[in-house]
Amino acid sequence: MLDAAAIKTISEEARRRAGIAIPQAQTYLVEARLAPVARSEGYDSQADLVRALESSKDDRLWRRVVESLADHETWFFRDPAPLDHFMADILPVLARVKARKAPIRILCAGCGTGQEAWSLAILLEEQKARLGAMDIEIVGTDISRRAIERAQSAAYSQFEVQRGLSIHRLIEHFEPHGQQWVLKDSIKRWVRFERGNILRPSEGLGTFDIIFCRNVLSGLTLDARRHSLRMISELSGPAGYLVLGQGETIAGAGEYYRAMSGARSVYARTMETAQQAA
Ligand SMILES: C[S@@+](CC[C@H](N)C(=O)[O-])C[C@H]1O[C@@H](n2cnc3c(N)ncnc32)[C@H](O)[C@@H]1O
C-alpha cells in the first residue's frame, strides 16, 4: 500500500515529465498501474519501487513509471466521424493547396499502441485510386516507449482486432501470425512511429498539415493542456488542422485555432497565427 507521501512523489513527477494529471480521487490508479511495473522490475511491492526511485533517481525507471501512469486505452476506428471528415473534406483541400509540391503530412500525437494511425493508413490505402500520385505520410508519436514498440510491431491480438475493425478489413489488411494479426506491408508503408513528448516535441519532427491529438489532453493538467496546444500549433503548417478527441476542446489556445462549423472536434489554424508562421 502506498502512503500519501509516495503518491505525491509519483504524481509530481508524472506532472513534471509528461503533464499527466492524477486527481485525488484516482490515486488508487497509481497503485494499480505501478503493480505490474514493480513486479517486472523485481520489487516486492509498489512501495519498494517508490523507495528505489527516491534513492537512486534512476531515469530509465522513472520514465517507465511515468509512462505506465498514462491512460493507454485505444482501438481501431475509434470515433470515426472526424476520420471520415478528414478523408471526404479536408484531404481534397490539402491536395489542392499543396498541388503535389510537398507531401501531405499527418501527425498522430499520443498515438498509443498505433491503432489510430493504422486506421488512417487503412482509409488511405482503401482510397488510393482516388488519391492518385498524392504523396502522404503519417507520423505517430507517444511518450511511452512500450506503446511505440507495440505500434511499430503492427501486431495485434484477437481481442484488439475485434475492437473497431470489420471482418472485411481484418481479412483485407492483416495476416495471421500465430496468435496475432499483423498488418500487411501495403498498410505499414504509410506510417512511421517515434517516441515523443507532446510537451517538448523533437526539433526534427517538421510541420504537419493535420494533427490528430485525440484522447490525450483530457489526461493532462490544465497547464499541460495549454502548453501542449501551443506546441501543437507550432508543429502545424500555415493551413493546418487539428483534431481533438470527443469532449476535448481548445480552451486556453483559442488564438491558434478556430472550430470548424459542421465538423465536431475539428479545428483550423486561425489566419492571424497562420500568417505569422508563414
Ligand atoms: C488514451 S491514449 C489515446 C490514443 C489514441 N490517440 C486514441 O485516441 O485512441 C493516450 C496516449 O497519450 C499518451 N501520452 C500521455 N501524455 C503524453 C505526452 N506528454 N506526450 C506524448 N504522449 C502522451 C499516452 O502514453 C497514451 O498512449
Side-chain angles (χ1 to χ4, degrees):
M1 175 90 180
L2 288 174
D3 61 19
I7 297 271
K8 186 163 176 264
T9 304
I10 296 288
S11 304
E12 280 179 4
E13 200 61 13
R15 193 190 62 225
R16 194 181 69 79
R17 287 179 180 247
I20 293 172
I22 301 179
Q24 197 77 40
Q26 286 179 12
T27 50
Y28 68 92
L29 270 179
V30 176
E31 293 246 11
R33 291 186 174 153
L34 289 195
V37 181
R39 245 191 330 272
S40 76
E41 294 285 342
Y43 294 97
D44 288 338
S45 67
Q46 295 97 314
D48 283 352
L49 169 65
V50 176
R51 267 191 291 278
L53 284 167
E54 283 169 339
S55 60
S56 75
K57 310 267 184 262
D58 178 345
D59 193 54
R60 182 204 62 83
L61 194 54
W62 262 120
R63 266 194 270 119
R64 174 128 197 241
V65 162
V66 169
E67 290 171 11
S68 77
L69 293 172
D71 165 21
H72 294 291
E73 180 83 347
T74 188
W75 58 92
F76 289 99
F77 293 96
R78 178 180 194 173
D79 186 17
L83 304 183
D84 294 338
H85 179 70
F86 166 66
M87 291 301 292
D89 300 312
I90 296 179
L91 196 52
V93 173
L94 290 176
R96 266 199 310 279
V97 172
K98 293 237 145 180
R100 295 197 189 149
K101 284 192 219 95
I104 293 173
R105 302 194 75 226
I106 303 168
L107 175 66
C108 287
C111 65
T113 41
Q115 286 89 330
E116 180 181 49
W118 293 129
S119 301
L120 279 164
I122 288 172
L123 290 173
L124 292 168
E125 179 67 16
E126 287 175 351
Q127 297 192 28
K128 68 175 184 227
R130 170 167 84 85
L131 303 176
M134 213 186 283
D135 193 3
I136 304 176
E137 61 182 75
I138 306 171
V139 179
T141 62
D142 198 282
I143 197 165
S144 164
R145 193 174 301 273
R146 286 171 171 246
I148 287 298
E149 282 168 9
R150 290 256 5 249
Q152 283 166 333
S153 77
Y156 296 92
S157 67
Q158 184 69 35
F159 173 73
E160 287 169 321
V161 295
Q162 274 168 350
R163 294 187 77 193
L165 275 178
S166 65
I167 192 75
H168 169 77
R169 281 187 166 142
L170 178 60
I171 288 168
E172 184 73 20
H173 302 300
F174 289 75
E175 286 165 341
H177 279 255
Q179 303 287 307
Q180 302 261 288
W181 290 90
V182 180
L183 277 153
K184 291 183 179 170
D185 289 345
S186 52
I187 302 297
K188 283 187 195 163
R189 74 188 172 92
W190 290 97
V191 191
R192 82 179 163 80
F193 293 99
E194 63 181 61
R195 187 173 173 275
N197 187 344
I198 204 178
L199 300 179
R200 293 177 274 280
S202 79
E203 284 188 5
L205 216 46
T207 57
F208 294 87
D209 301 295
I210 180 158
I211 299 176
F212 290 82
C213 184
R214 301 197 301 164
N215 309 299
V216 182
L217 298 183
S218 46
L220 304 186
T221 66
L222 206 56
D223 280 352
R225 277 183 218 172
R226 285 205 195 99
H227 184 70
S228 301
L229 284 164
R230 188 155 68 79
M231 292 293 107
I232 285 170
S233 78
E234 286 178 12
L235 290 173
S236 199
Y241 296 88
L242 168 66
V243 185
L244 296 180
Q246 230 169 342
E248 293 175 327
T249 70
I250 48 157
E255 69 268 40
Y256 302 119
Y257 293 99
R258 65 180 160 78
M260 288 183 67
S261 57
R264 179 178 52 73
S265 316
V266 184
Y267 300 86
R269 192 85 190 269
T270 57
M271 283 315 283
E272 305 81 65
T273 52
Q275 276 158 3
Q276 281 161 22

